[in-house]
Amino acid sequence: MIKAVVFDFDGLILDTESVWFECYQEVLRTYKMELALEQFAPSIGTHGTEFLDYIDLTLKQPGISAEVDQAVSRLHDQKMEHLETRAGVHEYLAEAQQLGLKIGLATSSNRAWIERFLNKLGLADYFQVIRTSDNVTKVKPDPELYTQVVTALGVEPYEALAFEDSLNGLTAAKAAGLRCTIVPNPVTSFLPFEHHDLRLTSMTDMTLTEIIERLNESTAKG
């Protein structure tokens, strides 16, 4: 029986991932470097130096990625001013509340980053528990974020349903013992997702109630 839902943030609630990719592409073109999605995608949903190391190596300038990163961040801030939540987000949160479900958020981003947008978009009050990179020693794909959220919500992992857009997020949720519905965005849709419980193209495909009923039925049959 599902008693809680736990949402990712970047790429799932707000499609920051597609904007990051566009910004890196635009900035790197000024350095005469073309960025393919295949090079960017592994960095989605986690933190790490591999992608920045790739930039240094490709441009043959050690440390140039810090300069690139600063330019990308400035451009990203400009583009984010007009970004809206992904379709269905408000409806899922409202429905979860109406159903009496506990609601959590587990993100590899830091607290200041997500609070900026949760407050602006009027979503902050929906979440009873929020865990960010500030709370853990390892971010996704490590399961620690999800483990902390379900513990704080007071539910067992198998009683919680995660919503994710990235492979790193899916890996983290399943490793923590949660069910997971994936809703990929344009830059994550081609990733090799496996072992998810359900895949949607949009949160408008099914209501939250329909998803929970389907997962409860599959559990009963299993």
Side-chain angles (χ1 to χ4, degrees), residues 1-5 7 90-103 126 128 161 163 206-214 216:
M1 182 69 72
I2 299 296
K3 297 180 180 178
V5 287
F7 292 82
H90 285 273
E91 289 79 2
Y92 271 30
L93 290 169
E95 191 177 353
Q97 208 170 56
Q98 290 164 6
L99 292 170
L101 300 173
K102 297 180 177 181
I103 307 174
Y126 281 110
Q128 295 158 267
L161 168 62
F163 285 91
M206 298 174 69
T207 66
L208 182 59
T209 300
E210 289 170 337
I211 292 172
I212 291 172
E213 286 175 351
R214 180 177 293 192
N216 285 338

Side-chain angles (χ1 to χ4, degrees), residues 107-120:
T107 174
S108 294
S109 295
N110 63 54
R111 186 93 184 199
W113 169 260
I114 63 153
E115 283 189 345
R116 166 187 169 191
F117 297 107
L118 290 180
N119 292 327
K120 178 183 176 182

Side-chain angles (χ1 to χ4, degrees), residues 18 39 53 130 174 182 188-189:
S18 293
Q39 275 95 42
D53 290 342
I130 294 175
K174 297 303 287 185
I182 58 167
T188 61
S189 59

Side-chain angles (χ1 to χ4, degrees), residues 46-176:
T46 188
H47 289 168
T49 61
E50 291 85 0
F51 177 60
L52 297 180
D53 290 342
Y54 168 75
I55 292 173
D56 286 341
L57 188 64
T58 305
L59 294 178
K60 299 186 169 109
Q61 296 183 63
I64 193 68
S65 57
E67 179 182 302
V68 170
D69 219 28
Q70 288 176 358
V72 166
S73 293
R74 288 193 295 270
L75 183 58
H76 192 268
D77 278 344
Q78 294 170 18
K79 293 195 176 194
M80 288 295 292
E81 286 301 316
H82 310 290
L83 200 62
E84 298 293 332
T85 56
R86 290 185 67 188
V89 168
H90 285 273
E91 289 79 2
Y92 271 30
L93 290 169
E95 191 177 353
Q97 208 170 56
Q98 290 164 6
L99 292 170
L101 300 173
K102 297 180 177 181
I103 307 174
L105 189 146
T107 174
S108 294
S109 295
N110 63 54
R111 186 93 184 199
W113 169 260
I114 63 153
E115 283 189 345
R116 166 187 169 191
F117 297 107
L118 290 180
N119 292 327
K120 178 183 176 182
L121 297 166
L123 301 178
D125 291 342
Y126 281 110
F127 299 99
Q128 295 158 267
V129 172
I130 294 175
R131 291 294 182 268
T132 72
S133 61
D134 300 331
N135 302 115
V136 296
T137 54
K138 292 181 180 178
V139 295
K140 304 169 188 177
D142 189 274
E144 187 177 1
L145 279 163
Y146 277 108
T147 299
Q148 283 198 20
V149 169
V150 294
T151 300
L153 287 173
V155 299
E156 296 297 326
Y158 63 84
E159 296 174 321
L161 168 62
F163 285 91
E164 279 285 354
D165 69 291
S166 73
L167 189 54
N168 285 314
L170 169 64
T171 301
K174 297 303 287 185

